[in-house]
Amino acid sequence: MERDKELREEIKQILHRIRELDERYGVPSGTDDQQGETTSGSAVPHEIQAQRAGKARKPYQHHDYPGIAREVETILEEAAAPLTLTELYGELQKRRAVEWANPYMILQKALKHSERVKIEKEGRKLVFSIR
């Protein structure tokens, strides 16, 4: 019986602290006068829920793989020297103004459309060159 009273007091303190935090951050808190409990989470605005959700997923992006392959060939011809993955991706970002989640995968798929680009490994780095 004593433990129940302690738990009840702890719950009241926690609920009071939640209401304080809600008021501080501008979340309207609906209360049920009989129970003293807050209403369900549906009262929380969508903006706050979006902030809690974290980073939103990027929308699907269509990639023109043959076009990317031609662009890579052009970059490698102009460079006249082998380029690493980061250098090549940096140059593609400048020219195409793109931001890819995984440049390695996109370049691998694009280079299936090109027979002129040669991929080698130097240690842990990928090096792209023109044949």
Side-chain angles (χ1 to χ4, degrees):
M1 194 69 168
E2 193 65 32
R3 180 71 180 142
D4 290 341
K5 288 181 182 179
E6 290 174 13
L7 288 174
R8 196 173 311 129
E9 281 301 314
E10 286 181 36
I11 291 171
K12 284 182 182 179
Q13 289 174 356
I14 291 172
L15 288 173
H16 180 69
R17 180 71 178 137
I18 290 172
R19 285 188 201 107
E20 286 177 356
L21 291 173
D22 285 348
E23 289 172 8
R24 181 184 299 167
Y25 294 107
V27 178
S29 61
T31 57
D32 184 13
D33 294 333
Q34 295 174 354
Q35 297 287 329
E37 297 175 4
T38 59
T39 59
S40 67
S42 62
V44 178
H46 291 289
E47 299 121 18
I48 295 174
Q49 286 180 348
Q51 289 174 351
R52 290 180 187 161
K55 190 174 178 181
R57 295 184 100 183
K58 291 183 180 179
Y60 177 76
Q61 200 175 21
H62 173 73
H63 302 291
D64 176 25
Y65 293 120
I68 294 170
R70 286 190 300 273
E71 190 76 33
V72 168
E73 288 175 359
T74 306
I75 291 169
L76 291 172
E77 286 172 355
E78 291 173 2
L83 297 175
T84 63
L85 176 64
T86 53
E87 294 168 340
L88 184 59
Y89 178 57
E91 190 62 33
L92 280 168
Q93 280 182 313
K94 288 179 194 173
R95 293 184 184 202
R96 289 187 154 237
V98 294
E99 186 70 32
W100 294 331
N102 192 341
Y104 170 77
M105 293 299 296
I106 293 169
L107 284 174
Q108 288 293 335
K109 289 179 181 179
L111 293 178
K112 288 180 182 177
H113 298 276
S114 173
E115 295 178 8
R116 297 181 56 208
V117 178
K118 185 169 83 172
I119 304 171
E120 298 174 330
K121 283 188 90 173
E122 286 183 8
R124 296 181 68 194
K125 294 183 180 183
L126 283 178
V127 178
F128 297 85
S129 60
I130 201 88
R131 292 181 186 174

